Amino acid sequence: MRYQWVLLLTLVGVVGCKNTTKQADNQPLKSGIVVLGIAQDAGFPQADCKKDCCQAAWLDPSLRRHASCLALYDSLKNQFWLFEATPDIKFQMDRFKKMAPEVSLSGIFLTHAHIGHYTGLMHFGHEVMGAKELPVFAMPRMRSFLSENGPWSQLVDYKNIDLQKLNADSTVILNERFSVMPFRVPHRDEFSETVGYKIMTPKKSYLFIPDIDKWHLWKRDIIDEIAEVDVAFLDGTFFANGEIPGRDMSQIPHPFMEESMELFRDLPKGEKAKIHFIHFNHTNPTLQIGSEARAEILGAGFEVAEEGNHY
Ligand SMILES: [Zn+2]
Ligand SMILES: [Zn+2]
Ligand SMILES: [Zn+2]
């Protein structure tokens, strides 16, 4: 009996100190963020990858992961907003609607014009859902890119989507309790600028930076930004340098997770526990459940974002 209580208290303690909960099937969903994708743009496994990294995921669908995406949910109004329109959006919306039945999509926030972050918009067009004026929040270059290039321009012309203006560092009020602030981050801006988001709700605030070149190239201090939120979803694309043999990784810069962990090494435990890595490339050993890399991250006090988890 005593052992059972100790066990129960231990479990409560573990759950209580984390910023994450696994959503129970029979409980109504609470307001907050649900993670709907944790992989890099190409998803996991990656097209045509025959290497060890993707082998198990080709064979076992339960190991597959979608491109990075968050759902922001307001339980009072039964509304949600997506952060990113990924190529996997139909599965992600389906998953979310099973968690929050009758919910309605109130808008989509885009970070930039790399394929994993906006191409899911195609599902709102004439050939699929035929959406009516779905608000899509995007920065100026991103808006021009969508309105001036097919097939995206058709979504604008047919009013399937209604492009909403975003300006860096200025807050978008979603309703009396929820707001969102975009901020610029350095990244390969071929077709659009790139932003991250700060998301504010009455109970928690969140940081979402799925893509950034390197922390030191940013005009802001990531450590200060983490201090201001409860949960930070941060770029974990690559674990370490040399991860993609035969490709010059300086051409596809991201903060290696090894570098990030070094940068955050001396943060207090509570600050480290806010950091949830996301946006994993198929080569990143973090995606392999039993890997040493994953054990190292968790052992150092950091977290790994998981699909279906509520934050
Ligand atoms: Zn990306
Ligand atoms: Zn692979
Ligand atoms: Zn990108």
Side-chain angles (χ1 to χ4, degrees), residues 40-41 112 114 116-117 187 210-211 254 279:
Q40 178 264 7
D41 301 44
H112 66 302
H114 283 160
H117 302 264
H187 189 43
D211 274 281
H254 286 274
H279 194 268

Side-chain angles (χ1 to χ4, degrees), residues 251-290:
Q251 296 304 306
I252 36 173
H254 286 274
F256 298 122
M257 287 176 74
E258 281 188 346
E259 293 173 338
S260 297
M261 290 194 288
E262 179 61 24
L263 178 66
F264 303 142
R265 191 183 56 176
D266 295 326
L267 288 182
K269 213 171 155 193
E271 291 297 291
K272 282 185 179 172
K274 293 177 178 179
I275 298 166
H276 290 63
F277 290 105
I278 197 165
H279 194 268
F280 306 111
N281 198 56
H282 67 122
T283 53
N284 189 327
T286 309
L287 284 167
Q288 314 293 335
I289 301 302

Side-chain angles (χ1 to χ4, degrees), residues 27-29 73 78 95-104:
Q27 293 291 321
L29 189 64
Y73 179 58
N78 210 21
R95 179 171 200 165
F96 189 71
K97 289 187 172 194
K98 284 181 176 131
M99 297 172 84
E102 310 301 322
V103 74
S104 66

Side-chain angles (χ1 to χ4, degrees), residues 44 52-57 63 282-295:
F44 176 67
D52 288 350
C53 46
C54 291
Q55 219 163 55
L63 299 175
H282 67 122
T283 53
N284 189 327
T286 309
L287 284 167
Q288 314 293 335
I289 301 302
S291 67
E292 265 176 46
R294 199 179 169 92

